[in-house]
Amino acid sequence: NVGGNADALWSGGTDKVRMYEGGAQIVASTPLNIDQVYICGSTKNSTTAEIELYLDGNLEATGSSSLATSDQQMQIGSFMDANNLNGKLAEVIILPTEATTEDRQKIEGYLANKWGISLPAGHPYESSAPTV
């Protein structure tokens, strides 16, 4: 529990993934099936404080954080020690720096290839894995 400006990625007791960061909560539009594997990711632009939530390479939601930068701890799977994830986490990748669009797409391509997930048409790695 890190207080009102917690950074969290969780399901919120629903069938949709949510991201909370600096007072902004964004919710993916796609409902999840507990028996399916997904690539879920979020990014934050440290200049504009915009946060983005991605599901299987598709942009699902955007919002604006009240924090330009954050030294808060990140909670994955719950928010404020409640509203826990109802599912399993197979792999978590955390970058020590801000991800570029190319970085995000390479990670999505790597994970899609590894876990057999389809990426959207037009994604640079929809049909082949990236060289990492």
Side-chain angles (χ1 to χ4, degrees), residues 2 14-15 21 23 29 48 55-56 70-71 73-75 78 85 91 94-95 98 118-119 122 129 131:
V2 293
T14 71
D15 62 351
E21 212 278 352
S29 57
T48 65
L55 193 61
D56 291 346
S70 175
D71 61 357
Q73 56 183 290
M74 176 71 175
Q75 293 183 318
S78 71
L85 173 72
E91 188 166 349
I94 299 174
L95 302 180
E98 189 171 322
S118 296
L119 292 172
T131 303

Side-chain angles (χ1 to χ4, degrees), residues 104-117:
R104 178 186 51 79
Q105 289 174 330
K106 281 184 177 182
I107 292 168
E108 290 166 348
Y110 160 76
L111 292 170
N113 184 65
K114 180 176 180 178
W115 295 99
I117 298 169

Side-chain angles (χ1 to χ4, degrees), residues 7-131:
D7 301 336
L9 187 61
W10 87 109
S11 64
T14 71
D15 62 351
K16 295 182 180 175
V17 175
R18 299 167 184 267
M19 173 69 187
Y20 181 88
E21 212 278 352
Q25 177 177 256
I26 55 177
V27 182
S29 57
T30 303
L32 305 179
N33 179 335
I34 198 165
D35 297 322
Q36 188 172 335
V37 178
Y38 299 92
I39 299 169
C40 178
S42 64
T43 61
K44 178 182 174 185
N45 182 311
S46 62
T47 303
T48 65
E50 180 179 46
I51 53 175
E52 298 176 327
L53 182 60
Y54 291 86
L55 193 61
D56 291 346
N58 292 302
L59 179 62
E60 290 278 319
T62 63
S64 294
S65 171
S66 64
L67 303 173
T69 60
S70 175
D71 61 357
Q72 303 286 332
Q73 56 183 290
M74 176 71 175
Q75 293 183 318
I76 299 174
S78 71
F79 175 65
M80 304 294 285
D81 299 329
N83 300 306
N84 297 321
L85 173 72
N86 181 15
K88 298 176 182 176
L89 294 174
E91 188 166 349
V92 176
I93 297 173
I94 299 174
L95 302 180
T97 61
E98 189 171 322
T100 65
T101 298
E102 183 180 354
D103 294 335
R104 178 186 51 79
Q105 289 174 330
K106 281 184 177 182
I107 292 168
E108 290 166 348
Y110 160 76
L111 292 170
N113 184 65
K114 180 176 180 178
W115 295 99
I117 298 169
S118 296
L119 292 172
H123 192 285
Y125 304 105
E126 71 176 293
S127 58
S128 63
T131 303

